[in-house]
Amino acid sequence: MGNNPNRNEELKVFISNRESECGECGENLGLQAWITLAGEKGALCLACADLDHLIFLPAGDMALTRRARKHSTLSAVVLKWSRARKRYERQGILVEERALETAEDECLADSDLRERRREREAVRREELDQQYVQEFAERVRELFPGCPAGRENIIAEHACLKYSGRIGRSSSAKSLDETAVRLAVIAHIRHRETDYDHLLAKGFERHEARKAVESQVSRVINRWLTLNT
Ligand SMILES: [Zn+2]
């Protein structure tokens, strides 16, 4: 590790202006997809780039943007090419939802923020197939009985959003099989229980960062596999 020239630079997400395909999962992302650029692999979808747990905060409110970024372990700037001006323009940032909420609480003198948060949550509820979320959550609980209370819902919602066509993905087969559930749980543990996001924020490549947190992840998995008494 250690010689990535991009380290400590801001992560960038581009809104593509042509048809693109993910260099990792191969999915056709269509026009206007949100992508990262990863060397010789070309474009990556946000799910493959491990940025799909972040939410978009449009540019416009500088105080909120600054605070949200400060509270977010991992954040990325969203850029779009302007044909008229022939340069990339900032559209906003991607941040952790918890960071955005903390920032909103700090800015709450602005009463529009509560309203915007309510709207965001309503949109998400609409996007989610509630039946699928519930079944997925039950499956997480069944396979990982030691998982802390409530996490099964967070994991299930995220997995479901992924299949719902958000972030420019076409819908994949919805699956409740053990592998799909396990992968969703591992991704959640990486982001929430390890230093993974810190490492990505510092500019580590995903494979380096995954390797670095591998043993942390398996310790947590082992704890979650059994019901704590
Ligand atoms: Zn992909």
Side-chain angles (χ1 to χ4, degrees):
M1 304 185 192
N3 53 1
N4 179 346
N6 294 327
R7 196 152 288 177
N8 292 325
E9 250 181 48
E10 199 167 33
L11 292 173
K12 295 183 184 70
V13 166
F14 297 94
I15 301 177
S16 161
N17 53 7
R18 54 193 161 128
E19 194 84 22
S20 36
E21 190 175 284
C22 177
E24 193 154 304
C25 67
E27 197 158 332
N28 186 318
L29 305 171
L31 289 166
Q32 305 274 304
W34 293 39
I35 55 169
T36 58
L37 296 176
E40 72 272 21
K41 273 193 178 163
L44 290 187
C45 73
L46 296 193
C48 287
D50 259 348
L51 298 174
D52 63 332
H53 61 305
L54 304 179
I55 62 171
F56 181 56
L57 171 61
D61 186 330
M62 283 171 62
L64 186 62
T65 296
R66 183 174 45 76
R67 285 180 163 137
R69 182 189 273 126
K70 188 185 80 193
H71 290 298
S72 200
T73 306
L74 185 61
S75 63
V77 58
V78 178
L79 299 166
K80 190 177 177 182
W81 181 256
S82 159
R83 274 204 196 129
R85 297 198 186 80
K86 299 207 172 2
R87 59 160 198 245
Y88 283 103
E89 293 188 323
R90 287 175 174 252
Q91 307 297 304
I93 56 172
L94 288 170
V95 285
E96 290 153 10
E97 183 155 29
R98 285 181 303 172
L100 178 54
E101 286 177 358
T102 306
E104 283 170 340
D105 289 336
E106 288 174 358
C107 291
L108 265 183
D110 175 1
S111 63
D112 285 351
L113 288 177
R114 274 190 204 283
E115 186 51 35
R116 262 185 266 159
R117 185 189 292 183
R118 265 196 298 275
E119 278 168 17
R120 191 169 76 233
E121 282 163 2
V123 166
R124 183 169 52 193
R125 269 194 307 277
E126 257 167 47
E127 281 177 355
L128 290 173
D129 172 346
Q130 293 299 343
Q131 170 93 20
Y132 175 56
V133 172
Q134 199 186 327
E135 284 168 11
F136 201 103
E138 281 164 12
R139 202 69 179 111
V140 170
R141 175 63 50 204
E142 185 184 309
L143 294 169
F144 299 91
C147 162
R151 292 293 187 88
E152 69 272 34
N153 299 318
I154 296 171
I155 295 167
E157 284 195 0
H158 182 72
C160 186
L161 278 174
K162 212 159 165 168
Y163 295 126
S164 74
R166 189 181 68 147
I167 54 169
R169 287 171 71 92
S170 58
S171 57
S172 315
K174 290 180 178 181
S175 173
L176 290 170
D177 74 32
E178 191 166 339
T179 311
V181 173
R182 193 180 161 81
L183 287 175
V185 170
I186 287 175
H188 172 84
I189 289 174
R190 255 193 226 117
H191 289 303
R192 286 287 292 267
E193 305 284 333
T194 76
D195 300 328
Y196 186 62
D197 283 9
H198 279 287
L199 298 176
L200 291 185
K202 277 195 209 154
F204 279 62
E205 295 290 340
R206 276 170 307 136
H207 68 272
E208 300 177 325
R210 287 188 181 201
K211 202 143 189 65
V213 302
E214 215 167 55
S215 61
Q216 276 178 292
V217 170
S218 36
R219 268 199 305 279
V220 176
I221 289 262
N222 286 336
R223 230 171 34 235
W224 288 14
L225 277 171
T226 50
L227 192 59
N228 328 303
T229 43

